[in-house]
Amino acid sequence: MDDPLRHPLRHHGDVEVGDLLDLAVNVYAGPRPPWLDAALRASLSEVGAYPSSDRARAAVATLHGRPTDEVVVTAGAAEAFTLVARLRPWRKAVVVHPQFTEPHAALKQAGHQVCEVVLASPFTLDPAAVPDDADLVVVGNPTNPTGVLHPAAAIRALLRPGRTVVVDEAFMDCVPGEPESLVRDRHDGLVVLRSLTKHWSIPGIRAGYLTGDPATVAALAAGQVPWSVSTTAAAAVEACCTPEAAEESRRRAEEIADWRKQLEAGLDELGVRFLESTASFVLARVGNGVHARLRERGVAVRRADTFPGLDGSWVRIAVRPPETTERFLEELRALG
């Protein structure tokens, strides 16, 4: 029997790294802020009691100007995808690809058939491409792995009675000012997911949250296993919702944008086709076999052929500080 965890939909960049130069994982390449480490350490004094995410939930609600009954704190975005998949017996669940494959995998694991809407390059969202009878639509914004930032209006156009629209905003904090975010929008059937893993360099702490209308949020929360959000994860969420965190998040977004410009300029100089990105990665069409050849030279980039709609000629390259980016470009240049 095939191992479901080895299915292409369950392939993620972390398995590609090993001892190679890491341009495969989209985690911010810098130290955590001292106030976040302090909050994580302080949370250890509370682990003798069962966890509660009440303070974290209130902090998220305050950050995004919503009542607490419109927020659920989750064990990362992965738990949120599972909660959505198990929410109801979806008649037609649509996943807009290419995008992060975990929501697709979660739907299949829950026994649903998935309707793939595969966008053509340059992978911009066309609401008309989504079947009218879809009762669930999942879309990333900005989308992993393309880096495309869809206009909020295009996503709002997907909303209609009887349909749930799930927007994965795991990389929205990479976008200075977050102009296309829907996390403050209050529409029936709109669910927005956020993750702290990437921007705050804490992949080992499963921390995230979702927002939505009260009825949908209550139903999603009812599907959580007891105490799914650890004390430390809840502390991370609370710490990342302060004004101090907002200022650091803005700084990181601007820094990532500067690093990304260097990567894109280098790719352009080498004549490599790529999509201009708004996130902490760039999707590039380096050619078939280049992924493996880079590995032979000690460099890990994320293979992209596991994303529906892409093939082996594409790779996703994580945005890194200048010295790492320059080393990567040198290795790519050496391949000819």
Side-chain angles (χ1 to χ4, degrees), residues 94-181:
V94 168
V95 178
V96 180
H97 283 295
Q99 76 151 304
F100 184 53
T101 53
E102 201 57 40
H104 190 147
L107 284 161
K108 287 176 65 69
Q109 189 176 44
H112 301 293
Q113 295 292 320
V114 176
C115 174
E116 297 180 6
V117 170
V118 180
L119 304 176
S121 182
F123 311 114
T124 52
L125 177 63
D126 176 9
V130 175
D132 288 338
D133 59 345
D135 58 343
L136 173 67
V137 181
V138 184
V139 61
N141 202 36
T143 302
N144 174 14
T146 65
V148 172
L149 182 66
H150 304 299
I155 296 178
R156 290 189 189 104
L158 296 171
L159 294 167
R160 61 196 59 190
R163 173 185 287 178
T164 298
V165 176
V166 176
V167 188
D168 175 11
E169 291 192 358
F171 292 97
M172 187 62 78
D173 42 19
C174 293
V175 183
E178 302 184 3
E180 306 302 335
S181 175

Side-chain angles (χ1 to χ4, degrees), residues 143-223:
T143 302
N144 174 14
T146 65
V148 172
L149 182 66
H150 304 299
I155 296 178
R156 290 189 189 104
L158 296 171
L159 294 167
R160 61 196 59 190
R163 173 185 287 178
T164 298
V165 176
V166 176
V167 188
D168 175 11
E169 291 192 358
F171 292 97
M172 187 62 78
D173 42 19
C174 293
V175 183
E178 302 184 3
E180 306 302 335
S181 175
L182 294 174
V183 75
R184 289 176 172 265
D185 275 33
R186 302 177 69 189
H187 298 286
D188 287 349
L190 175 65
V191 176
V192 177
L193 278 52
R194 287 291 187 101
S195 168
L196 277 64
T197 299
K198 314 299 192 305
H199 205 53
W200 298 109
S201 308
I202 51 172
I205 298 174
R206 308 309 304 155
Y209 56 87
L210 61 83
T211 64
D213 64 89
T216 302
V217 161
L220 289 166

Side-chain angles (χ1 to χ4, degrees), residues 49-53 75 79 224-231:
Y50 284 93
S52 168
S53 59
E79 184 193 21
Q224 287 185 295
V225 299
W227 312 297
S228 67
V229 179
S230 71
T231 297

